[in-house]
Amino acid sequence: MPLTVQERQEFLAQPHVAAFSVAAGAARGPLTVPIWYQYQPGGEVWILTGPESQKMRYLRETGRFSLMVQQVEPTVRYVSVEGPVVRTAPMTDALHREMAARYLPAESVDAYLKAAEAYGEQVAVYLRPEHWLSADLGDPSTL
């Protein structure tokens, strides 16, 4: 069963690790990698990446990307969202802390941020959700 608009937005707002996909050219399949993301229901989705990363190069070429998140317990459920990049902005300390705090225990955030300095410059890339796919397939033990 497809999820309602509210259900899919609430599900996407949870801190799942997403599968990020962006077209990689006519002779290749899409670039697909795991990624952290941030989303509030009704808003834009945003990710962090290097300004010269492979992801960012493809994003500049295509202007669009997709995210897919899933869970297998207590039910098999997924949400996929696709849309245009609406803006990019330099990553700030506040954005980086927000993203890290979404995924890591509070006591690990400062150490992660210190270690992440080695990643170099990052940018926030914002997507306007345009196309959604979702389903709740139910309890896996009954499938």
Side-chain angles (χ1 to χ4, degrees):
M1 301 267 320
L3 303 176
T4 67
V5 170
Q6 181 177 348
E7 288 172 331
R8 71 184 186 205
Q9 289 184 356
E10 288 174 357
F11 187 76
L12 188 63
Q14 296 170 7
H16 302 284
V17 174
F20 166 95
S21 290
V22 62
R28 301 213 30 207
L31 170 69
T32 303
V33 296
I35 197 165
W36 289 354
Y37 69 95
Q38 180 60 289
Y39 174 73
Q40 296 297 321
E44 296 169 337
V45 177
W46 59 272
I47 62 163
L48 297 173
T49 191
E52 299 306 321
S53 68
Q54 191 174 22
K55 289 187 294 289
M56 196 65 217
R57 287 192 305 271
Y58 291 143
L59 287 170
R60 279 193 289 273
E61 291 173 15
T62 65
R64 307 181 76 78
F65 68 94
S66 299
L67 293 179
M68 191 280 299
V69 298
Q70 66 178 352
Q71 71 179 29
V72 294
E73 293 179 353
T75 67
V76 176
R77 179 179 272 200
Y78 74 88
V79 168
S80 175
V81 62
E82 184 268 339
V85 172
V86 292
R87 69 183 184 283
T88 61
M91 178 188 72
T92 63
D93 290 342
L95 286 175
H96 204 185
R97 180 168 292 282
E98 179 182 339
M99 186 70 79
R102 175 174 165 83
Y103 289 94
L104 299 173
E107 64 273 10
S108 300
V109 171
D110 287 335
Y112 169 81
L113 293 173
K114 179 73 173 155
E117 291 174 6
Y119 301 158
E121 183 183 358
Q122 300 277 304
V123 293
V125 180
Y126 294 81
L127 170 142
R128 184 182 69 244
E130 197 171 76
H131 303 283
W132 295 78
L133 292 173
S134 64
D136 188 333
L137 304 175
D139 182 343
S141 67
T142 64
L143 297 177

